[in-house]
Amino acid sequence: MTDRLDGIHTLITGAASGIGAACARRMAHEGAQLLLADLNGDGAKTLADELGQASVQADVTRAADVRDMIDMAYQRWGRLDVLFNNAGIAEVRPLLDVTEDEWDRMLAVNLRAVFFVLQGVAKRMRQQAPIAGSELRGKLIQTASIAAYRGGMANMAHYAASKAGVVSITRTAAQVLAPYRITSNCICPGAVDTPMWKKIDAEWSKLESWGIGEAWKRRTSLIPLGRPETAEDVAGLVSFLASRDSDYMTGQAINLDGGLVMGN
């Protein structure tokens, strides 16, 4: 255990698996106090028990769940230093086949919920004292994707649109909240070996009449660094953004993809 995040109180949404779970393990190892939130309440509790942390079942598309989740953090600690606004979904659908219901669900989880969780936390953060040893009152970290920038997302247009929106919200929040000494940044992962990408692979491979695993193979074969991304790769970046080492960084959308997208 290191102490880089000692005393940092953090809420992680979408914490039960994939990137969220890897970040929870890394941040707990570095001394953070965590509240792990997920629609999969049992999964969040299992991980929280493993790490000696707290958990809550929450559907981030429901206003009451969002209020209760944030209230739980403040009741537990009296403050919240870091929000890792990570909950999200993915789906493969050709551009011309996306239905209104599919569009609405994607934007509800990946964009609307991200905005209102951020808003709810920021309203509380702006009233609290600075983080110990920092000039900042709080940090907001969102999960976007290189899909926000990369063209050719013909089979994931609604997903790409939602993640582009996350980048926009992140940068607007950075501008608006800077006077309150609250930073806002987002991460843009690439092809990460998680349950979400297994779902993408299954849907994409079926759409193209490929064998299972072929979409993943084709996608990761383009990575200049020559290997797929792991959730632990992402956890290192999120831990840095949560730490005092990133105090002067705000409004950034950081590509972490092994070189798939160079620049934005």
Side-chain angles (χ1 to χ4, degrees), residues 22-242:
C23 291
R25 289 190 172 94
R26 174 67 176 262
M27 295 174 81
H29 178 73
E30 296 192 354
Q33 295 296 304
L34 306 176
L35 175 58
L36 308 182
D38 204 288
L39 183 62
N40 177 3
D42 290 341
K45 184 178 186 306
T46 297
L47 180 58
D49 289 347
E50 172 194 326
L51 299 176
Q53 305 288 343
S55 69
V56 60
Q57 182 174 14
D59 179 346
V60 292
T61 67
R62 296 186 40 151
D65 282 18
V66 171
R67 286 194 300 270
D68 290 348
M69 176 180 72
I70 297 170
D71 283 348
M72 184 174 176
Y74 276 85
Q75 289 163 6
R76 186 173 182 84
W77 300 312
R79 65 177 298 114
L80 188 59
D81 302 309
V82 174
L83 166 67
F84 181 31
N85 205 354
N86 171 68
I89 59 174
E91 182 178 55
V92 176
R93 290 288 187 277
L95 174 71
L96 301 181
D97 293 343
V98 176
T99 67
E100 290 184 5
D101 286 346
E102 289 168 345
W103 174 271
D104 289 347
R105 181 169 180 266
M106 183 67 65
L107 274 290
V109 177
N110 285 9
L111 189 57
R112 183 179 183 275
V114 167
F115 177 82
F116 285 107
V117 171
L118 180 153
Q119 183 191 70
V121 168
K123 286 180 177 180
R124 303 284 286 267
M125 277 184 171
R126 65 181 177 171
Q127 299 174 4
Q128 66 192 21
I131 302 167
S134 173
E135 66 176 307
L136 301 178
R137 287 189 172 90
K139 297 186 170 193
L140 308 171
I141 306 167
Q142 282 64 246
T143 298
S145 168
I146 61 169
Y149 303 110
R150 189 176 180 89
M153 299 297 291
N155 294 325
M156 296 182 71
H158 52 336
Y159 175 80
S162 73
K163 293 303 185 179
V166 171
V167 173
S168 178
I169 288 169
T170 294
R171 290 174 169 162
T172 301
Q175 185 72 32
V176 171
L177 298 172
Y180 297 102
R181 317 314 290 164
I182 297 169
T183 62
S184 175
N185 295 287
C186 66
I187 61 170
C188 298
V192 188
D193 190 3
T194 62
M196 179 180 285
W197 238 103
K198 287 180 172 58
K199 177 179 182 294
I200 292 171
D201 173 77
E203 293 175 355
W204 198 340
S205 294
K206 181 179 179 181
L207 183 66
E208 301 289 353
S209 299
W210 297 332
I212 292 296
E214 184 63 22
W216 172 254
K217 179 181 177 181
R218 293 188 183 210
R219 183 64 160 163
T220 57
S221 69
L222 302 174
I223 298 172
L225 283 182
R227 69 165 175 85
E229 185 171 356
T230 69
E232 289 71 27
D233 291 325
V234 181
L237 174 57
V238 173
S239 179
F240 164 73
L241 290 173

